[in-house]
Amino acid sequence: MRRAGGRLIAALLTTLLATGAAARDGRGENTPRLTAETAAAGAVLADARRRKRAGTRAKVPPGKPRRKAREAAAPAGSAPAKARFGAVHGPTAPPTRAIGGYSRGCLAGAAQLAADGPHHSAMRLSRNRRWGHPETIAFVEDLAAAAAGGGLNGILVGDMSQPRGGPMPFGHASHQVGLDVDIWFAARPEAPLSPEARETMDFVTMLNAAGTAADPERFTPHIAALVREAASDPRVERVFVHPHIKKAMCDMSWPRRGFLRHIRPWYGHDSHFHVRLKCPAGSPACEPQSPPPKGTGCGTQLDYWYTPAPWTPDPKAKPKSPLTVERMPPACRELLAAPSHVSVPTPAPPGTTAPPAPEPMSAAPPGPATDGAALANRTPSATDGAAAAPDQAAAPVPTGQPTPVPPSPQ
Ligand SMILES: [Zn+2]
């Protein structure tokens, strides 16, 4: 028993050290898994102590060697889906189908956005995330043309989806069915972008230095008009922006305000806005999100974000276990096994072979209650809440404090 306890302590220490290393080197995407392992190792240790006090031994399934007991407890084939989907570099053959939900789904027959178009440039090419449903590609090109017509030099396009959609090794909870796209608020620069600039150009927040409101010097009427253009598009279900950006949009005077309903406040999203398209025709397995609540989402509907509630972590919240392939739609499991339609080499970031820095994966704060309605209810919303979280949430801060600028918004 003492030797077994020693092994458990050693395992626990190893896991704790690994967790610390993961946090230090910024590979925060590993943290939830390691945290869960740490908790599991701690539980095993506590259980061993309890049994020692009670003079009993842990039960071992008959016929299995004792050291196999913990392995036997793990469900078979529970590899995180993000690793599997992140390792596939090419799409399957057309036709295109969005399968499943925005945060639990995949994409068959994906199309790729050009790295450069007349009015857009795609960023962070090394991530291989400029895949999407053709309707998403068409939307991006149309929005870029509208930006050019509105006095901007075009748009910078951030992450869309992986070649087969699915969860990503770092950065987003959604973007899984080829219908989500991140657009930088900052317009495309006049000068052509070098490959290095595409990888390293800094995100530009639209908030003031204190993080307490949108900065009108940065969040100009041209950029606000671009966000309105996106939210007014009939293909679009939602546009996620930081609550302060939503407030700025609400405070502007517009001839018609119906589009504001589609602009939804969410954590992060101060240097990019996230556009989510509706399920397109020809994708019967695409799971739609319920329409945004009625109204503009301004005024009292926005008040919730100016209370401590959305910025206060729930101490009872448990870290989510990573999505496994087994918990995804069966068609997504088949999609993973299908051959690639085209072979796509993944470019390494210039000057390095290391993966790009991920966003920290701090435990998500509680989601806002139903998007303006029933705000007293802290259950994450089925409309805009955790289940539909557009991106990883930014670290929560108390109200009144500067809102954090995500170190690597997606
Ligand atoms: Zn996004």
Side-chain angles (χ1 to χ4, degrees), residues 6 9 29 36 43 90 118 136 147 167 216 232 256:
I9 290 167
E29 75 275 17
T136 312
S232 304
R256 280 187 291 276

Side-chain angles (χ1 to χ4, degrees), residues 76-86 88 104-106 166-167 176 321-337:
S78 57
K82 60 186 181 182
R84 302 277 302 279
F85 276 91
V88 182
R104 187 185 296 230
C106 58
Q176 294 194 23
S321 56
L323 181 60
T324 59
V325 174
E326 287 66 32
R327 284 163 50 213
M328 297 191 69
C332 292
R333 302 207 286 268
E334 290 163 24
L335 191 73
L336 260 182

